[in-house]
Amino acid sequence: MTILHLLSQNHLTGAEVYACQLTDIQVATGHKVLQVSNGFYYPTKAEKIELKVETKSRAEFNESVKTLKELIAKHKVQVIHAHSRAASKLAHSASRGTQIGYISTIHGRQHVSFSKKFKNIYGSHQIAICENVQDQLVNEFGYKPENIKVIRNGISTDLFFPKKINSAKNKTELLKIAIIGRATGPKKDRTENAVQSLTQILTAKNINFEIHLVGASENEIDKSLHAKNVFFHTPPTLHQGIYTQFDLVIGSGRVCMESLMSGVAVIAFGEAKYLGLCQKENFNEQIKSNFGDIEASSFGKPEVCPAQMDADIENYYKINVSQLMDLAKTAKGQFGIKTVCDQLQKIYEASYFEAHYPGWIPVLMYHKIPTQELDSPHKIYVTQANFEKHLEFYKNAGFETVTFSELKQFKNGTRSFDQFPKKPLVLTFDDGYWDNLNNADPLLKKYNFKAQIFLLANNEISHNQWDEANSEKGDKIISGTDRKLWLNSNFEIGSHGFSHKRITEMTPDQAFAELIDSKRALEKEFEREVCVYAYTYGDTNAACAKLAEAAGYDFAVNTDTGGLKMFDDPFQIFRVNIFPDETKFSLWKKTASWYRSYYFKKRKK
């Protein structure tokens, strides 16, 4: 894809570090990446283009919108990723009327205004760096929860590892503390409060200490706090070597993440709140506010609780090497840049797809296509004659079928949307019955339609024993070497697990194995990529959806539940049940653009 990162940098911030580290991975994986900003303060492999993103007048803003539009057209940009309020405002105006994807990462709490509630300037999808940002966007701005995803700041984890473990020292040794971060705005109050409280607490405990202010100059901090054991360091480009000079780091955001990965103990104290010593027990709570930088309901005020800081100093001396190693591992799992980049790529693709086709795509679910009516309590069949009537209806209504592998090509930009159907339709079949191949496939070919077939990875299953305990009564499923016949059909292969068991009744490890191993087995058997999974019985939940994503699928489908649009929840895609007695009217209704919303309201799902 061609990706444009839009920033408004006048000095180095965590947002620029985040964007640049994302950029380097994106470039390495074959994307064309541009970075547009007021200025550049961190190295990146992207093509840099200077532009007044943070403008001072309406005339300047209009000129920047014009220039950005020209850049988008010249470089054939497919996705804009904005990283600040000024960048989001500019991207919103420049992308209007185009068919490019546009998302924003929101790095902090936003000032509430009528214009932001009335008009979402942050793109089709918003990335919140922590839960408190997500809560504000939903509760105060009224933005749709399904369009907001928490994806934390990414860190190049190979640059940070527990090289030097600063385990608890004896109180008679020198304790070196770093307070890291700029000394302007709320961070100035944070730094001054921390210096004052630390000095009082450590002096009272007769602990020999040094306080190093990394990123603050002498003229920025109250003169009364200057002392022989308080040292000032100009803002450096932070790296592991800086963190490991100290026994204890006080900071927030990326400072806490990188310190923890380096094996250094951390007190989380940000622009909004003092959270205290980071430990395994409170780690998940601390990351909700990006380690004290972002309150959910207000901007907060960075004040120290002396009693809590006193207790935190005592607890610091109780930390052991094993605890620091565990924290380093946990931090890497949450903030690894590769994981973040993979998550963002899915958001890029969803935004890009929806910019071209914002509506609901009907996904219909068939099972058996017998020649005669069946005595079936489940009614999961359509006779061959009726199936042809269905295809005639779809053809006359102007529908064109797409498969999930084709949807993947459109969403990742490898296939032009010039080829995308005006009225797309996805036909799906579960289980892999013989009558699908014998009765449905000839009709698919006759009407020039394609369909998705969800096969069991266990190629020895020859009957649907989950419907009939007596296998002789069960309907025949293609098994063994006959399964190669699917390769000459108008069916594309997806996974339906191994043996038609409910994934929700498995342990997380079993469920993940079911997902990933069935994918691998089918890909090996048919020498084709398998990009979609169908949950058996339509039975799934949010945890299983996350496992399907982790297993490497691009999509997963169920029945009856799911988002209003495909990319609201691509791992719980709503499918419409098709029954034996469908009429032209019912088919019209079930494929209508409003049907998903109607169904949602009717069933209260």
Side-chain angles (χ1 to χ4, degrees):
M1 300 187 88
T2 302
I3 303 162
L4 188 153
H5 288 278
L6 191 65
L7 301 102
S8 56
Q9 298 302 117
N10 294 307
H11 57 269
L12 180 65
T13 68
E16 185 177 11
V17 177
Y18 164 87
C20 290
Q21 292 188 351
L22 280 178
T23 290
D24 289 349
I25 288 188
Q26 289 166 348
V27 170
T29 52
H31 298 287
K32 178 182 177 181
V33 186
L34 312 173
Q35 196 169 104
V36 177
S37 179
N38 288 70
F40 304 93
Y41 304 91
Y42 195 87
T44 175
K45 295 177 182 177
E47 179 181 346
K48 302 182 188 71
I49 301 172
E50 196 166 320
L51 177 69
K52 288 183 179 178
V53 176
E54 187 172 6
T55 55
K56 297 180 180 179
S57 68
R58 171 55 65 176
E60 275 190 353
F61 178 77
N62 290 340
E63 185 62 30
S64 292
V65 170
K66 179 184 175 183
T67 303
L68 185 55
K69 280 181 174 288
E70 291 169 351
L71 288 172
I72 290 168
K74 177 183 176 181
H75 294 277
K76 298 180 180 178
V77 171
Q78 292 168 301
V79 175
I80 295 178
H81 186 166
H83 296 271
S84 69
R85 285 188 293 272
S88 295
K89 183 180 177 182
L90 184 63
H92 172 74
S93 294
S95 64
R96 201 159 39 193
T98 69
Q99 288 186 311
I100 62 172
Y102 162 42
I103 73 166
S104 290
T105 290
I106 302 172
H107 293 267
R109 187 175 165 76
Q110 305 297 293
H111 288 276
V112 179
S113 66
F114 174 77
S115 62
K116 287 176 185 172
K117 290 184 176 183
F118 177 72
K119 180 175 63 177
N120 178 359
I121 66 167
Y122 297 107
S124 60
H125 294 260
Q126 299 89 53
I127 307 302
I129 63 159
C130 65
E131 285 80 358
N132 283 1
V133 171
Q134 182 185 45
D135 290 346
Q136 188 201 16
L137 295 176
V138 173
N139 298 327
E140 295 183 23
F141 288 21
Y143 292 172
K144 295 179 180 178
E146 62 267 24
N147 291 339
I148 306 168
K149 186 166 185 176
V150 174
I151 301 179
R152 306 191 191 282
N153 279 327
I155 307 290
S156 294
T157 54
D158 56 338
L159 301 177
F160 298 93
F161 49 92
K163 182 178 178 181
K164 172 190 173 185
I165 293 292
N166 295 305
S167 55
K169 307 169 71 172
N170 188 294
K171 288 185 180 181
T172 60
E173 297 179 67
L174 174 66
L175 178 64
K176 295 180 69 176
I177 302 173
I179 305 173
I180 302 179
R182 66 181 185 273
T184 56
K187 285 285 201 303
K188 170 182 167 69
D189 296 337
R190 183 278 310 262
T191 300
E192 290 179 342
N193 288 343
V195 171
Q196 186 175 44
S197 295
L198 281 170
T199 300
Q200 293 172 352
I201 290 168
L202 296 173
T203 299
K205 293 178 181 293
N206 294 317
I207 294 173
N208 186 21
F209 67 94
E210 292 178 356
I211 299 175
H212 295 258
L213 307 185
V214 181
S217 63
E218 293 184 53
N219 58 1
E220 290 175 320
I221 300 299
D222 191 317
K223 299 292 183 184
S224 66
L225 298 176
H226 294 202
K228 64 179 181 179
N229 58 349
V230 176
F231 303 89
F232 295 86
H233 304 267
T234 55
T237 298
L238 294 171
H239 55 81
Q240 175 158 330
I242 291 173
Y243 299 119
T244 54
Q245 294 177 40
F246 305 104
D247 304 306
L248 179 63
V249 167
I250 296 176
S252 58
R254 296 182 71 88
V255 167
C256 289
M257 302 172 203
E258 293 175 353
S259 296
L260 289 171
M261 290 183 196
S262 301
V264 180
V266 162
I267 286 179
F269 186 18
E271 295 186 11
K273 195 172 184 179
Y274 180 92
L275 296 180
L277 188 69
C278 184
Q279 297 178 284
K280 186 175 182 179
E281 295 76 19
N282 62 17
F283 179 87
N284 288 334
E285 189 62 32
Q286 290 199 357
I287 61 177
K288 289 181 180 178
S289 63
N290 202 30
F291 295 99
D293 259 351
I294 303 160
E295 277 285 74
S297 57
S298 70
F299 280 88
K301 189 175 180 182
E303 295 181 351
V304 175
C305 172
Q308 185 179 353
M309 180 174 270
D310 188 293
D312 287 331
I313 294 298
E314 289 297 323
N315 286 330
Y316 161 75
Y317 283 101
K318 299 174 184 177
I319 292 176
N320 58 45
V321 171
S322 176
Q323 290 171 316
L324 289 172
M325 289 289 286
D326 283 347
L327 280 170
K329 183 178 179 181
T330 301
K332 283 197 172 191
Q334 284 283 346
F335 307 114
I337 190 68
K338 182 63 170 64
T339 300
V340 167
C341 202
D342 289 345
Q343 291 175 320
L344 280 171
Q345 182 62 29
K346 292 181 175 68
I347 305 298
Y348 290 169
E349 292 174 359
S351 180
Y352 176 69
F353 188 97
E354 290 173 353
H356 287 83
Y357 194 87
W360 174 63
I361 298 174
V363 182
L364 309 184
M365 182 175 65
Y366 289 88
H367 283 79
K368 305 164 193 173
I369 309 294
T371 54
Q372 303 293 328
E373 296 280 344
L374 298 178
D375 181 16
S376 166
H378 305 294
K379 301 297 181 184
I380 54 172
Y381 73 90
V382 173
T383 65
Q384 185 181 26
N386 280 341
F387 182 61
E388 181 162 17
K389 292 178 182 179
H390 292 192
L391 298 186
E392 286 176 347
F393 171 82
Y394 304 143
K395 180 67 73 174
N396 292 335
F399 283 106
E400 295 179 60
T401 54
V402 288
T403 63
F404 281 100
S405 70
E406 290 173 327
L407 289 173
K408 178 180 178 179
Q409 292 167 3
F410 286 116
K411 77 183 177 74
N412 65 23
T414 58
R415 186 168 177 179
S416 171
F417 264 91
D418 292 341
Q419 303 172 37
F420 195 75
K422 291 182 179 179
K423 291 183 69 174
L425 176 69
V426 182
L427 301 177
T428 71
F429 290 73
D430 287 5
D431 305 330
Y433 298 98
W434 268 104
D435 61 31
N436 293 172
L437 195 62
N438 292 338
N439 299 337
D441 187 53
L443 292 174
L444 291 172
K445 289 174 178 173
K446 176 180 176 180
Y447 289 89
N448 195 28
F449 283 151
K450 294 165 284 192
Q452 199 83 37
I453 186 75
F454 292 107
L455 300 181
L456 298 168
N458 182 349
N459 62 15
E460 296 180 0
I461 293 177
S462 59
H463 294 79
N464 64 332
Q465 299 169 15
W466 48 93
D467 284 340
E468 294 284 355
N470 185 340
S471 63
E472 293 181 359
K473 290 185 178 181
D475 294 281
K476 291 183 178 180
I477 287 173
I478 300 177
S479 61
T481 57
D482 288 332
R483 283 159 58 100
K484 294 293 184 182
L485 295 171
W486 290 114
L487 295 175
N488 296 318
S489 72
N490 274 29
F491 286 99
E492 177 183 279
I493 294 163
S495 174
H496 205 31
F498 271 100
S499 53
H500 215 277
K501 293 181 179 178
R502 292 181 187 270
I503 196 169
T504 54
E505 295 178 353
M506 302 177 187
T507 67
D509 287 345
Q510 290 170 337
F512 185 72
E514 178 83 2
L515 288 157
I516 197 168
D517 291 346
S518 64
K519 182 180 193 297
R520 289 171 177 169
L522 288 167
E523 288 176 337
K524 182 178 179 181
E525 180 180 1
F526 293 100
E527 298 180 335
R528 299 283 192 280
E529 181 190 19
V530 173
C531 69
V532 59
Y533 182 88
Y535 302 102
T536 50
Y537 306 100
D539 190 4
T540 187
N541 53 39
C544 291
K546 288 182 179 179
L547 291 174
E549 182 177 6
Y553 293 97
D554 291 273
F555 307 94
V557 299
N558 58 353
T559 58
D560 298 336
T561 58
L564 289 175
K565 295 184 293 186
M566 182 169 289
F567 289 100
D568 286 349
D569 197 343
F571 298 96
Q572 294 189 87
I573 294 172
F574 169 73
R575 285 196 291 173
V576 181
N577 279 293
I578 300 297
F579 298 108
D581 56 354
E582 302 290 353
T583 64
K584 286 184 179 180
F585 176 76
S586 68
L587 291 174
W588 169 79
K589 183 175 72 171
K590 289 185 173 185
T591 56
S593 60
W594 47 264
Y595 180 75
R596 177 65 187 99
S597 180
Y598 158 81
Y599 185 95
F600 185 89
K601 292 175 182 176
K602 183 179 178 181
R603 302 295 179 93
K604 297 181 180 180
K605 292 188 176 184

